[in-house]
């Protein structure tokens, strides 16, 4: 009697339709469980967990490249739509302070990336992108264009998203009573505003095409983000991003990352877990120190200062800030958005610099 194939290969023997169905079912379970805990990015982290399980058990299905590119362009539009005139005004009025805090955070995260790579836990470029305190999804999409291991970067980034989100929620609960505040309701299928929805589609398509022509790193994401920011801020073009489209885009990105995991990569990530967790705690402590300095020296509300300097999880920080009274939302989003822009601009240089130092 023929023996069964090894466990890591069993899934690969099934038809592609069955593999996709299993992936969708397990993803839905993870999303439901994560959503119950009110953790952010459930529609990205849940599918990524499901895909990691599938990938390490020999799944052969992959996200088609056109769909992956479209998902990246949608996230680029999301970044563009998150920038507003109020955020720019807040940055303009406090630009020396915002710039100093952002540069200090980037320096600290780069040092932690160097520290991790110096002790051979992770390669230099991977460690820097994994430690970068920008939007987690943006960092993962950018990292792949600069030779970093996207799987390990995603592991570091989304682990930090979870840890930072829990810490920020606890701090908000200790400082401010948010029990009576209601989070914004998710309207999954809103009425389509055709001018704004059509503009988003046009920006995603045109931005992706221009990104490829300009040979930008991560062209679909950056092309749509840059074109969308110019259209949205410069010309007042409205952008509509329905929740169902965002959820689908997040799921596709999560699947694309997770399906490339193998047992050896997962084992490598587990071995580096102590260093990764330690670096996340160190970065959170450093940003907490910056928050104390802002509050103590400049009289900024403590919770506003903490949420503004919180390392990553921009969407979760925005949700917590919106549910907390007396928080200066414009200042929080100005600092968070500025940091994301700085990481996108200087991340490649810092990754190359740290990699060069590690090799010396």
């Amino acid at each position: 009697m023929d023996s069964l194939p090894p466990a890591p290969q069993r899934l690969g023997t099934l038809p592609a339709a069955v593999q996709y169905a299993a992936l969708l079912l397990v993803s839905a379970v993870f999303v439901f469980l994560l959503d119950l805990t009110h953790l952010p990015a459930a529609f990205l982290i849940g599918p990524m967990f499901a895909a990691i399980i599938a990938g390490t058990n020999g799944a052969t299905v992959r996200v088609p490249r056109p769909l992956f590119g479209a998902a990246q362009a949608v996230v680029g539009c999301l970044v563009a739509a998150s920038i507003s005139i109020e955020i720019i005004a807040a940055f303009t009025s406090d630009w020396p302070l915002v710039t100093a805090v952002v540069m200090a955070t980037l320096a600290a995260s780069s040092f932690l990336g160097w520290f991790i790579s110096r002790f051979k836990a992770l390669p230099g470029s991977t460690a820097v992108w994994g430690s970068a305190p920008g939007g987690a999804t943006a960092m993962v999409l950018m990292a792949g264009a600069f030779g970093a291991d996207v799987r390990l970067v995603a592991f570091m980034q989304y682990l930090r998203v979870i840890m930072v989100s829990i810490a920020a929620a606890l701090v908000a609960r200790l400082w401010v009573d948010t029990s009576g505040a209601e989070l914004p309701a998710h309207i999954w299928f809103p009425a389509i505003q055709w001018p704004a929805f059509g503009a988003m589609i046009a920006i995603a398509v045109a931005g992706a095409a221009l990104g490829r022509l300009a040979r930008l790193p991560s062209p679909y994401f950056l092309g749509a983000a840059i074109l969308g920011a110019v259209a949205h801020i410069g010309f007042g073009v409205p952008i509509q991003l329905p929740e169902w489209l965002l959820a689908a885009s997040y799921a596709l990105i999560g699947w694309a990352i997770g399906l490339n995991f193998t047992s050896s990569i997962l084992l490598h990530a587990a071995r580096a877990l102590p260093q990764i967790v330690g670096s996340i705690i160190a970065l959170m402590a450093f940003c907490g120190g910056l928050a104390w300095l802002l509050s103590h020296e400049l009289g900024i509300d403590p919770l506003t200062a903490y949420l503004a300097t919180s390392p990553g999880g921009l969407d979760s920080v925005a949700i917590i800030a919106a549910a907390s009274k007396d928080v200066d939302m414009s200042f929080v989003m100005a600092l968070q958005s500025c940091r994301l822009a700085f990481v996108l601009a200087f991340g490649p240089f810092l990754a190359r610099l740290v990699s060069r130092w590690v090799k010396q």
Side-chain angles (χ1 to χ4, degrees), residues 167-234:
L170 289 175
V171 168
R173 183 61 60 88
L174 289 174
W175 256 320
V176 178
D177 181 15
T178 60
S179 58
E182 294 184 1
L183 296 178
H186 284 290
I187 303 175
W188 291 107
F189 298 97
I192 298 297
Q193 302 168 10
W194 289 108
F197 185 74
M200 182 275 296
I201 297 295
I203 288 169
V205 173
L210 290 173
R212 285 182 61 86
L213 286 174
R215 297 184 177 180
L216 292 176
S218 190
Y220 304 105
F221 165 71
L222 274 185
I226 294 171
L227 181 61
V230 171
H232 183 55
I233 298 299

Side-chain angles (χ1 to χ4, degrees), residues 11-314:
L11 198 56
T13 63
L14 300 175
V18 176
Q19 293 185 49
Y20 278 123
L23 183 60
L24 186 61
L25 178 61
V26 178
S27 297
V29 172
F30 274 123
V31 168
F32 175 75
L33 294 175
L34 288 172
D35 199 47
L36 283 179
T37 62
H38 300 293
L39 283 177
F43 281 89
L44 192 148
I45 298 175
M48 187 176 74
F49 282 169
I52 289 173
I53 293 173
T56 53
N57 282 277
T60 56
V61 294
R62 294 293 183 269
V63 175
R65 294 187 61 140
L67 285 179
F68 185 41
Q72 293 181 61
V74 169
V75 174
C77 290
L78 175 65
V79 171
S82 68
I83 304 172
S84 65
I85 296 296
E86 291 77 13
I87 289 174
I88 294 176
F91 171 75
T92 303
S93 62
D94 297 307
W95 73 266
L97 174 65
V98 171
T99 303
V101 171
V102 166
M103 294 305 292
T105 307
L106 284 182
S109 66
S110 298
F111 171 77
L112 290 170
W114 172 83
F115 184 82
I116 293 173
S117 58
R118 190 69 176 177
F119 286 90
K120 310 298 182 183
L122 294 172
S125 180
T126 299
V128 171
W129 284 108
S131 302
T137 307
M139 294 305 97
V140 172
L141 296 178
M142 286 287 290
F146 289 95
D149 190 320
V150 175
R151 297 162 296 189
L152 293 175
V153 170
F155 180 82
M156 293 179 68
Q157 286 284 343
Y158 294 117
L159 179 60
R160 191 177 72 225
V161 165
I162 293 171
M163 292 177 64
V164 168
S165 299
I166 293 173
L170 289 175
V171 168
R173 183 61 60 88
L174 289 174
W175 256 320
V176 178
D177 181 15
T178 60
S179 58
E182 294 184 1
L183 296 178
H186 284 290
I187 303 175
W188 291 107
F189 298 97
I192 298 297
Q193 302 168 10
W194 289 108
F197 185 74
M200 182 275 296
I201 297 295
I203 288 169
V205 173
L210 290 173
R212 285 182 61 86
L213 286 174
R215 297 184 177 180
L216 292 176
S218 190
Y220 304 105
F221 165 71
L222 274 185
I226 294 171
L227 181 61
V230 171
H232 183 55
I233 298 299
F235 298 94
V237 175
I239 297 175
Q240 184 187 24
L241 285 158
E243 290 287 343
W244 59 265
L245 181 60
L246 284 174
S249 299
Y250 284 152
L252 288 170
I253 292 172
W255 285 340
I257 295 167
L259 286 170
N260 285 314
F261 267 79
T262 61
S263 299
S264 59
I265 285 290
L266 199 60
L267 183 61
H268 184 46
R271 286 172 179 167
L273 186 61
Q275 293 92 332
I276 292 172
V277 171
S279 70
I280 293 172
I281 293 173
L283 186 59
M284 290 170 63
F286 180 81
C287 292
L290 288 177
W292 177 86
L293 190 64
L294 289 176
S295 178
H296 186 265
E297 296 295 329
L298 301 175
I300 296 174
D301 170 64
L303 185 56
T304 296
Y306 183 83
L307 293 177
T309 58
S310 183
L314 188 150

Side-chain angles (χ1 to χ4, degrees), residues 110 124-126 128-129 146 346-356:
S110 298
S125 180
T126 299
V128 171
W129 284 108
F146 289 95
F346 297 109
F349 167 75
L350 292 172
R352 286 193 293 265
L353 184 64
V354 170
S355 297
R356 196 178 302 125

